[in-house]
Amino acid sequence: RRRYLLGGHPDPGEVAAQPSPRSSLAEEPPPRPLTNPPAANPTPGQVQVAVVRPAPAPSVPRPEPSAYTRQLVNALVNLEPSGAPTPEQAAAWKQNLQTLIQQGAAALPAIQEFLEKNVDRAFGTDAASALGYGSARQAMYDALVQIGGPEAAGVLLDTLHANASPQDIAQLARSLEKVAPGQYGPQILDATRQALLLPPEAQPPQSDVAPLFQLLSTYGGPAALADLGDR
């Protein structure tokens, strides 16, 4: 059985293995495409969902993720489906995240590849407490913030443009502000407006749009709220 451990400088071709008393990561079923809104209290291992808009095709080809960074991302996403991880499993997961962050810009293609699949892995309350993140997407957003720089901001911005989930848009806005304070207000405002103006059949059912109105007020002020009301 293979697990991904961090620490030291692992060979770029593979990640060290550690036996696990629970099921192997390789046995974990792949995440499913997002088709429904996230549950208020997601079951551990349940796929969270988001409604997305088509993302524009990249103007220039992006680098292919390396096998090593793709392995790290897969290890972070394919967490045990139920219950809290053991201390050893939680430590290994956190180490994998730090190793991914340490790859810097080289990690961005693998992170973006995962985000563009429009899937998520909810960790559940116990696992979230042990890992510090409620889902795989939250961990990836934070990894982008810690990597930093214009390239990481570009990945966050591409994800923002393709997203219509109020919760995701709010998280992406916070992440962009951390990476580049004050630089992406117009883009955040535009994504917020587009999400609010989606036709009813394209909106996430039973989705709380309060975060979108907060963003609209923050980045557009009263005029933006009035403009939305006139449409």
Side-chain angles (χ1 to χ4, degrees), residues 46-62:
Q46 176 184 349
V47 176
Q48 282 189 310
V49 296
V51 174
V52 295
R53 301 185 299 273
S59 56
V60 295
R62 288 197 299 264

Side-chain angles (χ1 to χ4, degrees), residues 194 196-203:
Q194 289 192 48
L196 285 169
L197 292 172
L198 282 173
E201 63 272 14
Q203 294 178 358

Side-chain angles (χ1 to χ4, degrees), residues 19 28 37 56 59 63 68 85 91 93 95-96 101 103 112 115 118 138 161 167 174 187 191 194 199 209 213 229:
E28 190 70 17
S59 56
Y68 180 52
W93 189 94
Q95 194 99 31
N96 281 332
I101 293 167
Q103 306 308 303
Q112 188 162 23
L115 294 175
N118 302 324
Q138 290 182 13
H161 287 322
Q167 291 72 27
R174 290 192 294 268
Q187 291 89 336
Q194 289 192 48
V209 297
F213 281 103

